[in-house]
Amino acid sequence: MSPEMSPSLGQQLAHDRARMLAAEVVDVELEPQDTEWLDGHLSACPDCRAIADEYLEIHTELRSLAMPEPPRDLWARTAAALDVVEAASGKRALGRTGGRQAGRRPLIGTAVAVGLVLVVTAVSVMSQSPIVNLGPVSTAPDVIAVASTSASLASEAPLAPLAVVDGTSYWMSGGDGVYQIKGGTAQCTTGSAGCTVGSETGQTLGSISSDSAVLAVIAPDAKQAAVWTADKIVILPLGAQPQTVALDLLTPRPTVAATPTPTATPTPTVTPTATPTPTATAVPTQSAAATPLPSVAESAPAASSVPTAAPTPTITPAGSGSVAILSGYQIVGRDPEFSADGTMVAFAARPVDHSTGPDVFLWRSGQEQAQRVTHNGAGLFAGWFGGQLLISEISSARASDGAADPAASPSAAVLPTAAGAADTFGASSFLFDPATATYQRIRRAMLLPAVDPTGRFLVYWAGTVQFDPVSGLWQPGSGELYFDAWSDLTLETASLGPDAGPTAGPPAAAPPATATASAVVSPSRGKAATPSGSTAQASLRATAKPSPLATSQATAPPASATSSPAPQSPPQLLPVASSPGAVSDWIVRWDRSGQFVAIWAANPSSVKIGRLTLFSIDSGSGLVNVNEPRLAAEKVLSSVSFDDSTLVYTSAVDGKTYMQSVPAVPPSNASTPVPTLPGQLPSGASPAAASVPPSDRPGS
Amino acid sequence: MSVASEGSGDRAFIEQLFARHHGEIYAYIYRMVRDADVAADFAQDTFIKAYKAQGSLADRAKARAWLYQIAHRIVLDEMRRRRIVRFLPWTGESHGAAPSAEHLAMEMRLSGPLARALARIPERQRAALLLAEVNDLTGLEVADTLGVSHVAVRALLTRARESLRVALADERRQEQEREAAIDTSFAERGRAADARRRPDDTSTGTPQ
C-alpha cells in the first residue's frame, strides 16, 4: 500500500512525517524520540523505507558529483577586471583629492582596458554620466539618472527597470522567494543627476512568491505583467494593494503543454479580403490613435487558402486574477512581449524536459492559456509588427534520400540525421497574422528582424550560427546587424497551415552538403530564407506572391518614390560591436516615431553588459547615419527601452538608470515617406500594378 | 571587528580568497546556471563584488560563506535580467560541432540523470541542496547565503530532496525508455539485416 493511498488522514500524516524526517536525517541528527519513531515507522512501512533509501542514495550521489573545472583564464580575467575597478576608483579619487590614485596595479595586459576606463570616467565628469556621448546630443546632454541602488551588498548590483512608461519607472525587487513589482515616478528635472528612485521606495503593484527566480515584463499600459520562471509563465494584473500570488501553485486550465493545439480557433470562418474585417474592434482606439501601428484590419491577408479567424480578443480587467498561461515550458530567446495594445503576449518556449525545441506561443486577453503558433520545435519569437508576429527559425533540410519530409514530421526538420546523412542549416523569418492564422515568409535570409513602429524600417541579424552543447540550442556565432527598408523585402505566402508551422521547406529541395554544426545566414539579397539550393529557389520563386510592400515600391507614384529613395540602397551594416562580426547577442529598440534605433550588443564573454549605440534615421533618405551615432555607451546593461521618445538605459558602471531625450530629426528633404504597413498599399498605389513581380532588389 | 577595509591589502586578500575558493564558487555557479561561459562571468563578478564590498565582511573566518552569499545573489539577480538569444534544440549527436575535449569530458560527467534532475527543480531548492550537500556548507552558512532562517533552510532542504527524488525518478524512467527504444531499433535493424542475408545464404548454398 502506498502512502498516497492510505485510508485514513492519520495514516497519511504519519507517512508525511516519516518522509520529512527521512529527508532531514540525511544530514541532521534528529531528536531521540523522532529517531525512535522514524525507525519504528520505517520498519513497518516498506514504501516509506524505500523513499528513505532514495534520499540516502541521492545524498551519496550528490556528494560524488564531479566538480566542473573553471576556465584556465578565470584568474587572468578577474585580475584584469580588478585592475579596471582599481583604476576607476583611483580616477574618482582624482576628482575628490586632486590626484591620488590609490591601489592601482598596472598590468601590461590590461593597459588598454584601463585607459578606456580613464577616458570614460573623464568624460563622465563633464556630462554627469559615466558614459561617453558622441554626436550632437553629447554637447548638450539631457541625461537624467532616475534610479540607483544603495551601497549595501544585497542590492549592490545595478537595478535595471523593467520598463519606464509615461515617466513612471517599474522594477522588480525582493528576494527570499517573494518578489514585488513596483512603480515609482522617474521624472526629474534636467541636470539633477542626484534624483533617484531607490529600490526600497515606490508603490507595490504586484507580488509573487516562487521558489524559482522570477522575471517579468510590463504591458504597455502597465496594467498587467507577464512573469515567468524556469517552467511557467503567468499573466499578473497590476494594481494597488495586490495579493501575493504563489506562482508554484498556479497551473493552466486546461493544460496546454501535454497536447499542442492549433493556434487558430475554428470559429468563425471568414474569407480574407482586402477590406477591413470585424476584427478591427480588437484594436483599442486609443492605442491606434497614439501609435500608427498596423492593425489586423489594415492587413490584407495574403493566404491563398481560406483561413480561420481567431476569436476577437477581450480585455481582461486589471483586477481579475492571475492566469498561468503555460506550464512545463521554459522561455527561449527573447523575453515575452506584449502587443502594442496590451491584449496579446507572444514568446518562444520549449518543454523543460527538452523533448522538443522551442515553439512560438501567443496568449490573448481573456484566454486561459497560451496557444501554440508554430509546431515544428524550431520557432523563435522576434517581435511584434502591429498586430502580427515576426517569427524566426533555424531549420535544416535533409539531403539524404528524401525520406524525411519536414511537413510530415516537423521535428525531423530540425534534427540531425543519422551518421553520414547530410544536413544544412539556414534561417527563415516569417510574418504571422493571428487574426487569419496565415504566414508570410520573408524571402531574404535573416534572424530576429525588428521592425520600427511605423513599419518602414527594420534591423536584422545575419551571420553564422553555432551549436551550443551546454544549452542544447543553436546560438548566434559571428554576425552583424543590418538596417534596411521593410519595403525592400519580398514576402511570399507560406502555403502551410498552422498545424504544420512555418518551417516546412521543399522536402526534395536540399542541395548536397556536408554535415556541419555551423551555418551561414547571409545578408545577400535574392537568397531564399531557407537553406535550400537552386531547386528550392526555383520553387520559392514559382510560388512567390508579390509582397504588398514590394509591390508598392514598384508601383508607387513618382512623388512617393522620390520621397523614399531607400529601395535604391543596399542594407546598411550597423557598426555596433567592438570588432567586426562580433554581434552574437543583441537587443533592438525603436522610438515611437521610427526616427531612432537603439542597439545594445553584448560584449564578448558577457551576457549582461554591452555597448549601446543610438542611431538616427534620416526619414528623407531612409538611411542610418552610422558615422555619427547619437550615443555610444560602453558597459550598459541589457535592459534598454524607449519611453516614447526617451531612451532608458542602465549603466553597469554606477548602477544608475539614465533617461535621455532624443530630439526630432528633420528629414534631409522636405517630403516624408508615407509609412508602409504590412499588407497595406501606400496611398496612391494602383491596385492594378500589384501584379508587377517583386524582385527583392536583384542585382543590387 | 572589521578586518578588511578599503585601502592597501584589499587586493591581496581577494587574491587569497580567489586562490582558495574560486573552484568551488565556479562549480556552484555552474551547477546553478548550467552554462560554462555565464558561470565564468558570474564567478569573475563574485570576486569583483567581494573586492568592492570588503567592508561588509566583519569576520574573515566567515569569508567562504560570504563569498557564496555574493555568488548566490549574483546568480539570482543576473538570471532575472539576463537575455540570451538561443536557438534550436539539439537532441542528437553533433556532427560537425567541435567543442573542446575538455568541454566534452565535463559534459559527460555533468549531464547524467542527477544533473538533469537538479536542473529541473526550483532555483532556491537547487541552491540549498547544492550548498548543503555538494559544497558542504553548514546549515547556518546556507541560511546566511540564502538570506533565510535556519528553520527555513531545513524546510527548503526537505522540499528540495523530495523534488529531486521525483525528478530523478522521472529522469531515470526517461533514460530507460530511450535505451529501450535504442535496443528495439538495433534489434529491428538486426532482424532486417538477417532477412536480407538469408536469401543470399540459401542461394550460395554449400559447395557441390
Side-chain angles (χ1 to χ4, degrees):
Chain A
M1 181 177 63
S2 71
E4 291 82 356
M5 299 182 68
S6 298
S8 72
L9 179 61
Q11 283 180 314
Q12 182 60 56
L13 290 175
H15 292 307
D16 290 344
R17 183 185 177 202
R19 284 192 187 189
M20 186 187 71
L21 291 175
E24 288 193 357
V25 79
V26 168
D27 63 353
V28 173
E29 189 174 350
L30 300 177
E31 296 293 329
Q33 63 271 25
D34 287 339
T35 303
E36 185 180 352
W37 181 90
L38 179 63
D39 290 343
H41 184 91
L42 295 182
S43 63
C45 178
D47 289 324
C48 291
R49 162 61 67 186
I51 290 174
D53 289 344
E54 284 185 72
Y55 286 149
L56 281 174
E57 182 187 350
I58 290 172
H59 173 73
T60 306
E61 282 194 54
L62 281 172
R63 290 184 171 274
S64 63
L65 270 179
M67 177 79 88
E69 291 294 328
R72 295 188 184 95
D73 67 344
L74 183 57
W75 169 243
R77 294 168 50 178
T78 306
L82 285 171
D83 289 340
V84 171
V85 172
E86 285 183 340
S89 62
K91 192 61 183 179
R92 284 198 297 271
L94 178 68
R96 292 195 303 266
T97 64
R100 186 175 67 89
Q101 296 187 25
R104 180 174 173 191
R105 188 178 75 170
L107 288 179
I108 294 174
T110 58
V112 174
V114 171
L116 175 62
V117 170
L118 293 178
V119 171
V120 169
T121 310
V123 176
S124 300
V125 171
M126 292 183 287
S127 66
Q128 297 184 340
S129 163
I131 296 165
V132 177
N133 281 321
L134 301 177
V137 176
S138 65
T139 58
D142 186 13
V143 182
I144 307 168
V146 297
S148 69
T149 58
S150 67
S152 68
L153 174 63
S155 58
E156 188 182 358
L159 187 69
L162 298 171
V164 177
V165 180
D166 296 333
T168 299
S169 179
Y170 298 87
W171 68 92
M172 183 177 284
S173 66
D176 192 17
V178 179
Y179 306 86
Q180 287 91 34
I181 295 176
K182 293 185 173 182
T185 302
Q187 293 288 17
C188 307
T189 56
T190 301
S192 57
C195 80
T196 61
V197 179
S199 59
E200 71 282 358
T201 63
Q203 182 182 8
T204 300
L205 303 172
S207 181
I208 311 131
S209 71
S210 172
D211 273 347
S212 303
V214 176
L215 299 93
V217 295
I218 305 290
D221 59 3
K223 290 182 178 176
Q224 54 188 347
V227 299
W228 67 97
T229 65
D231 66 351
K232 190 177 295 180
I233 179 166
V234 172
I235 302 299
L236 178 76
L238 300 179
Q241 299 179 333
Q243 293 183 336
T244 298
V245 176
L247 244 56
D248 298 337
L249 302 180
L250 278 179
T251 54
R253 299 185 305 271
T255 303
V256 66
T259 308
T261 55
T263 298
T265 305
T267 56
T269 300
V270 297
T271 302
T273 65
T275 57
T277 67
T279 53
T281 56
V283 182
T285 305
Q286 181 181 0
S287 174
T291 308
L293 293 173
S295 68
V296 170
E298 292 169 328
S299 302
S304 56
S305 59
V306 179
T308 55
T312 300
T314 56
I315 308 297
T316 301
S320 63
S322 302
V323 182
I325 60 174
L326 192 63
S327 183
Y329 280 67
Q330 61 183 183
I331 298 294
V332 172
R334 297 294 190 220
D335 286 351
E337 188 176 323
F338 282 88
S339 58
D341 60 12
T343 62
M344 293 184 280
V345 173
F347 55 91
R350 68 169 171 174
V352 292
D353 62 3
H354 298 184
S355 55
T356 68
D359 275 311
V360 177
F361 289 81
L362 175 67
W363 174 82
R364 294 179 176 88
S365 231
Q367 289 184 337
E368 291 287 348
Q369 55 187 284
Q371 301 293 318
R372 198 187 299 263
V373 169
T374 64
H375 299 263
N376 56 2
L380 288 168
F381 173 62
W384 284 98
F385 190 178
Q388 303 184 60
L389 282 72
L390 282 160
I391 296 170
S392 287
E393 66 171 23
I394 299 172
S395 60
S396 69
R398 186 174 295 187
S400 52
D401 55 7
D405 181 352
S409 177
S411 61
V414 296
L415 293 177
T417 57
D423 295 320
T424 58
F425 302 89
S428 305
S429 291
F430 300 83
L431 199 56
F432 173 72
D433 187 347
T436 59
T438 54
Y439 302 91
Q440 287 181 287
R441 184 194 305 266
I442 299 172
R443 184 183 283 186
R444 188 182 309 171
M446 63 176 63
L447 273 174
L448 301 177
V451 184
D452 86 278
T454 66
R456 292 175 299 174
F457 308 113
L458 78 158
V459 171
Y460 62 88
W461 183 88
T464 61
V465 293
Q466 299 170 340
F467 174 69
D468 174 23
V470 176
S471 64
L473 295 166
W474 286 90
Q475 303 210 21
S478 174
E480 300 279 11
L481 290 173
Y482 294 85
F483 172 90
D484 205 350
W486 173 261
S487 56
D488 286 352
L489 303 181
T490 300
L491 304 186
E492 58 191 9
T493 301
S495 56
L496 301 163
D499 287 334
T503 280
T514 55
T516 177
S518 65
V520 177
V521 181
S522 168
S524 303
R525 286 140 297 153
K527 287 190 176 180
T530 67
S532 308
S534 58
T535 308
Q537 297 278 354
S539 172
L540 288 173
R541 275 196 291 271
T543 60
K545 183 180 189 295
S547 159
L549 306 175
T551 300
S552 69
Q553 282 298 334
T555 61
S560 175
T562 54
S563 65
S564 180
Q568 305 307 319
S569 61
Q572 279 185 278
L573 190 151
L574 298 176
V576 297
S578 54
S579 58
V583 181
S584 60
D585 189 1
W586 70 96
I587 290 168
V588 178
R589 294 284 185 261
W590 298 89
D591 79 319
R592 182 175 289 183
S593 69
Q595 286 190 309
F596 289 90
V597 59
I599 296 172
W600 177 89
N603 289 344
S605 77
S606 179
V607 296
K608 58 189 182 296
I609 297 175
R611 168 186 288 190
L612 176 64
T613 313
L614 177 67
F615 294 109
S616 61
I617 299 154
D618 189 305
S619 58
S621 65
L623 296 174
V624 171
N625 189 348
V626 295
N627 294 323
E628 291 186 14
R630 296 306 181 105
L631 173 72
E634 302 285 352
K635 297 185 184 298
V636 174
L637 296 182
S638 58
S639 55
V640 177
S641 63
F642 268 103
D643 178 21
D644 194 2
S645 60
T646 301
L647 178 63
V648 183
Y649 58 93
T650 301
S651 161
V653 177
D654 64 0
K656 290 183 178 178
T657 296
Y658 291 81
M659 298 176 69
Q660 178 161 343
S661 298
V662 290
V665 179
S668 58
N669 57 38
S671 58
T672 301
V674 178
T676 308
L677 307 176
Q680 179 191 48
L681 294 174
S683 59
S686 167
S691 59
V692 176
S695 64
D696 205 5
R697 295 188 296 165
S700 57
Chain B
M1 177 185 66
S2 177
V3 295
S5 59
E6 289 191 23
S8 61
D10 296 348
R11 176 69 174 257
F13 176 56
I14 294 301
E15 290 182 359
Q16 283 179 8
L17 288 183
F18 185 94
R20 286 180 191 162
H21 303 299
H22 78 279
E24 60 178 312
I25 292 292
Y26 172 83
Y28 169 68
I29 296 172
Y30 177 85
R31 290 196 174 100
M32 287 298 292
V33 303
R34 300 197 76 210
D35 185 311
D37 290 338
V38 175
D41 230 11
F42 289 0
Q44 174 184 319
D45 287 354
T46 298
F47 288 97
I48 298 300
K49 287 184 184 298
Y51 173 79
K52 292 179 178 176
Q54 287 180 71
S56 68
L57 177 61
D59 183 357
R60 285 195 176 185
K62 295 181 177 179
R64 179 169 177 251
W66 176 70
L67 274 179
Y68 274 103
Q69 186 182 359
I70 297 172
H72 179 71
R73 179 68 63 177
I74 288 173
V75 167
L76 290 194
D77 284 352
E78 298 304 338
M79 286 177 75
R80 199 182 301 162
R81 296 193 190 103
R82 58 193 278 199
R83 300 156 186 264
I84 303 175
V85 177
R86 289 182 165 168
F87 293 134
L88 297 187
W90 186 273
T91 54
E93 288 184 345
S94 169
H95 291 217
S100 68
E102 183 182 15
H103 196 120
L104 285 176
M106 180 186 291
E107 278 302 294
M108 289 286 287
R109 287 183 290 146
L110 299 179
S111 61
L114 183 60
R116 292 198 298 273
L118 263 176
R120 288 173 53 178
I121 69 176
E123 278 100 348
R124 292 180 73 242
Q125 295 181 13
R126 182 160 76 246
L129 212 50
L130 288 173
L131 293 169
E133 297 272 24
V134 182
N135 295 66
D136 268 338
L137 267 63
T138 66
L140 289 175
E141 288 175 331
V142 175
D144 283 345
T145 300
L146 301 182
V148 298
S149 69
H150 189 209
V151 175
V153 166
R154 286 181 62 178
L156 192 59
L157 281 170
T158 299
R159 291 202 304 274
R161 290 194 176 96
E162 177 61 12
S163 297
L164 184 60
R165 187 185 69 82
V166 172
L168 183 59
D170 191 48
E171 284 293 334
R172 285 176 171 154
R173 179 186 55 76
Q174 290 184 28
E175 192 169 68
Q176 286 175 351
E177 290 175 356
R178 285 195 292 268
E179 289 174 355
I182 292 171
D183 290 344
T184 303
S185 174
F186 273 114
E188 288 176 351
R189 287 185 192 178
R191 282 194 292 274
D194 288 345
R196 283 197 299 272
R197 276 198 302 271
R198 207 163 290 128
D200 297 337
D201 293 342
T202 54
S203 63
T204 53
T206 55
Q208 297 293 320

